[in-house]
Amino acid sequence: INANTPKMVKMPSLVGYSLRQAQSELASQQLRVGKLIYERDLATNNVLEQLYNGKPVEPGVELECESVIDIKLGLNDADSVAIVPDLSGKPYSIIKDYLIDNSLNLGKVYFDNTVVTLQDSLAAFAYRQEVTLPKNDSVPRYGTAVNVYFTLDKSLIPVKDTDETDGQTEER
């Protein structure tokens, strides 16, 4: 039996929560994290505002299940440098959450010619990533978008070697 109307859920209050708490609360309400938007504040990753379709959304408002909620977060200049994780070999299905866990946004997504169907895209793995830094910035900051390239061809995924003398990992 299919419902004629989509399941509705109530928007929780996220203001004052940490990013991790907000992620958990949205997931428990069957809502999804959209874009992370940072602005100057004393506390890094403190939720300042919750947005639906680019506009503030009040707690208690009913939204369709699986709606995407953008989160406006505080950013202290002293804590603003993000570490971009290596996404090589990670499946498409977890990339966005993986980036959000690192206070980054998923930018553009590219699929090579091995990815043809929806099933292919769900099975694809990251093989390349690009971070575009704003002008006058030499390091990625929280909220930076990471463009990711996907393939089904595992030979394109960089192989990592560990140098046993110093424990460093290198791509080849």
Side-chain angles (χ1 to χ4, degrees), residues 3 13 39 61 63 68 91 109-110 115 138 147 152-153 155 160:
S13 176
E39 67 178 43
V61 169
L63 301 171
V68 175
V109 173
Y110 301 97
V115 179
S138 59
N147 300 330
L152 290 173
D153 182 354
S155 71
K160 305 211 181 326

Side-chain angles (χ1 to χ4, degrees), residues 19 25 36 46 61 65 76 95 99 111 121 123 125 142 161 172:
L19 172 58
E25 186 66 24
L36 304 180
N46 177 54
V61 169
C65 187
N76 185 322
I95 293 288
L99 288 170
F111 294 99
S121 67
F125 292 88
Y142 282 13
D161 286 336
R172 56 176 174 128

